[in-house]
Every structure is written in C-alpha cells, then in structure tokens.
Amino acid sequence: MKITGLSATTVTLDLEAPLRHSNGAHWGRFVRTLVEVHTDEGISGLGELGGGGQSAEAALKSLEPYLIGHDPHHLEALQLIVANPTASLYNNRTQLLAALEFACLDIIGKAANLPVHALLGGKLRDRVPFASYLFFRYPNPDGSGEIRTAEQLLEHAADLRARHGFTSHKLKGGVYPPEYELDVFRELAHGVEGQPVRYDPNCVLSLAQARRFAAGIADLNNDYLEDPTWGLNGLRQLRRDIAIPLATNTVVVNPEQLACNLRDPAVDVILLDTTFWGGIRACLKAAATCATFQQPVGVHSSGELGVQLATMLHFGAVLPNFTYSADSHYHHLRDDIIVGGKFRYVDGAITVPDGPGLGVTLDRDKVEHYAARYRELGDYPYDRDPTRPGWYPHIPNHRWADPTRTARPADFSPVSTPSDPLPRST
C-alpha cells in the first residue's frame, strides 16, 4: 500500500458561548483542519489538528511530496520523514505529524478491519471517563451563556452534571484576579458535593500566588492543581511546599522534558495530548515510561472535533496508568462533522469506537457547511481578547479581567442558534 496524496479542509464550528482563558479567548467557535490521507488501494484515513486555518492547510499540503509513495504502515519512518528532531529546529511539524499519524492508523485499521485500539495492544476499558471542563464565558450577542460569577458557574456545572453525568470537574482559570477565582473555585467544589475538582490557570500565577492558592484549596477533594505557575523549576519549588498533586500539559510535552521531570520531579501527573506529543504512539511511549516510574497520566484536550476525540478515546482505552478522568472541550460544541452527530456522554463517559480504524466517518454535507462558514468568518487570534484592545498576558500575569464587568462583545462573530439551517447527518 502506498500513499498517493492528501487533502486538508479547514472548518469552523460554533460553541455554546465564547470561552475565556488566561491567554485570550475562543471567539465563539473552534477552527480545526481536517486531514485525509489517500492510498493506491482506495482506503483513506482521517486526521485533525487545531488552529492555523489556511496556514495549516498550506503546511499540510507542503508535506505531500514527503508522503507520496510512502507505506502508511511505516510509522517510525513517517516520524523521521516529517518531524526529524534536528530538522524540526527549523520546521516544527509535531502537530502536523500527529494529524498524519492519526490518518495512517485509520488506514491501517480499515485495511485490517480492526479498530485502532486493537492495533495499540487492545483496550483495557470500553468507556473513557471525562471531567466537566468549565470556563468563564462571555455572553452571546443575545446575552445568553455568560459565566462570570460563582452562581452562574454553579448553574452551568449542575446543568452539565444533569445532561452528561460528569463526576469530576475542572475549572479553566487565569482570567480574573486569583483571589476572586479562589472564592469561585471553592464555591464550585462545595456545589458539586465533594466530587473531585481540578483548577488550571495556564501557568499565569506567580510562585507566591500559586502557593497562596494551593493553601486556599488544600481542604478540597482535589484531583490535582494543573499548571499553576510557569516552568519546571517553578513547579518544582511549589511541589516542595504543598501536598496537592501537580499536573502539566505545558512544560512536559516531549521525551526530553519527561526525562528531566522523572530525574528531578516537578509534576506528579503528565497530561498527554495526542496532538501536542505528535500522535497516539508518542503518547503511548510516554505513558509507558511514566508507568515504569509509577507516574500517573491523564488525557489532555486541545479543542477537538470528533476525529481527534476518537484518537483520545482509543488512546484512553489502552492506558494501564490512566488514573484521572480525561479533559475535553467537546461538550461546548453545538455540532460535529462526523456521521451520526456528536459522541454522547453517558454517566460522564464516552464509549470507545469499535469500528475499523478510528471508527468515525465524515459527514460530507456538514464538512462543506462548516468549511463554507470558515471561509466566511476566517481565523481569529486565540491569544487576544477583543474586549481588551492591546491586552496580552504577562507571565506571571498582573493584568486581570474585571469580574464586575459584564461584556457583550460586538467583535465576536455571532454563534449559531438552533434555527440556523444545518445539514442532517446521514
């Protein structure tokens, strides 16, 4: 079997409301690029990566000469072809490699009539549990969807528990002053009645602020404290002072950083991302190393649609040291681009696909619909907040958003409403 070409299509899908984070905002939608790798046997595989839009499409298409004639089964060679570690100093293609690896695994599974989890050693669980992923949110143009206060957050968390059955809960912070977010987080922990919680300010707290925050939540049922401050050494200093496990998806994202952390521990939980690490297999290698050192791992979310979510499900299914429920932005999406519509949460978990390959198929009508929407709306800067012109985060940050201010940002593109005409899944 040989690769004959690839195609890339960027889509934009609406969120329930714009999501705020320490670096800026998701402007009411996600921009994702779908990848299809084609072979001479008529089997095509699916991949996905986030952001980039037109530049991601161009970057992927530029790799086509590297891929034509390559056997999709030869995944170790694919890594060296696309993301050679020394060439990557000039051309960082890790996320592109991940999307191509997803597609090749999809091809291999379809050719063998096996699900990807069988190719990875066989699943240990049929369902992958997820935490609710809670954000402070801007309101939609009609005023709905805002999450700024503890009361709004608790109402949203209760709704997600009722609809999806989540039994652990994560708050994305780093937006408002840490003292305010500490109060809100404590309200959340009490509101979910002792279920485990986790807090992630995306590294923007100073070491002193992180110490105070950790002391303020020490009595809660914490899964872990995720990336409270920047850098391995900052986290290492914090770890010496607190009893709460520390987790990261920012400062341990490659084998060298993992080796440093195992030699001189700074974090306790490594959150593995199938895109950030360069594919499912790279995550499995990292997870195996962590298992040798009795270090727990989790599954990180980078704003996925159904294709990448499928990679997370297959990965989570085979992990022996999968201690904590996975993260996913998925429940913030209004729709998906796969046949059958969105994956369903049942009791806070999603069933692992058992069909050949990744077990998902593109809904072509929806792909075209959301590709047209991307062509209409274009990209948006993830690391900018349109309600604060000229603002950018400092590390550590000291320029926090005002929690007393209700904003209805006209600069956000309007999100879909249920009355918008969307094609049906077939």
Side-chain angles (χ1 to χ4, degrees), residues 131 168-171 185 197-200 223-224 324-327:
S168 58
H169 308 276
K170 171 178 173 174
L171 175 63
F185 187 67
V197 290
R198 56 188 79 158
Y199 173 74
D200 173 18
D223 273 338
Y224 46 71
Y324 298 97
S325 55
D327 288 337

Side-chain angles (χ1 to χ4, degrees), residues 49 70 100 116 171 189 191 201 222 238 248 265 280 296 298 321 329 424:
L49 72 158
H70 184 74
L100 296 171
V116 163
L171 175 63
N222 298 288
L238 179 63
T248 187
I280 305 174
N321 51 333
H329 295 72
R424 293 184 179 181

Side-chain angles (χ1 to χ4, degrees), residues 188-263:
L188 171 67
H190 294 309
V192 297
E193 304 167 308
Q195 291 179 336
V197 290
R198 56 188 79 158
Y199 173 74
D200 173 18
N202 279 131
C203 304
V204 295
L205 302 184
S206 69
L207 186 56
Q209 288 169 333
R211 286 192 177 109
R212 288 195 293 271
F213 199 100
I217 65 171
D219 60 321
L220 303 180
N221 184 12
N222 298 288
D223 273 338
Y224 46 71
L225 181 56
E226 180 179 343
D227 285 317
T229 196
W230 173 250
L232 279 170
N233 199 49
L235 291 168
R236 191 174 290 116
Q237 293 179 68
L238 179 63
R239 185 174 182 267
R240 294 169 185 156
D241 300 334
I242 68 174
I244 303 168
L246 291 179
T248 187
N249 76 278
T250 62
V251 297
V252 180
V253 293
N254 61 46
E256 290 78 15
Q257 292 170 352
L258 178 59
C260 288
N261 186 68
L262 293 172
R263 185 172 59 244

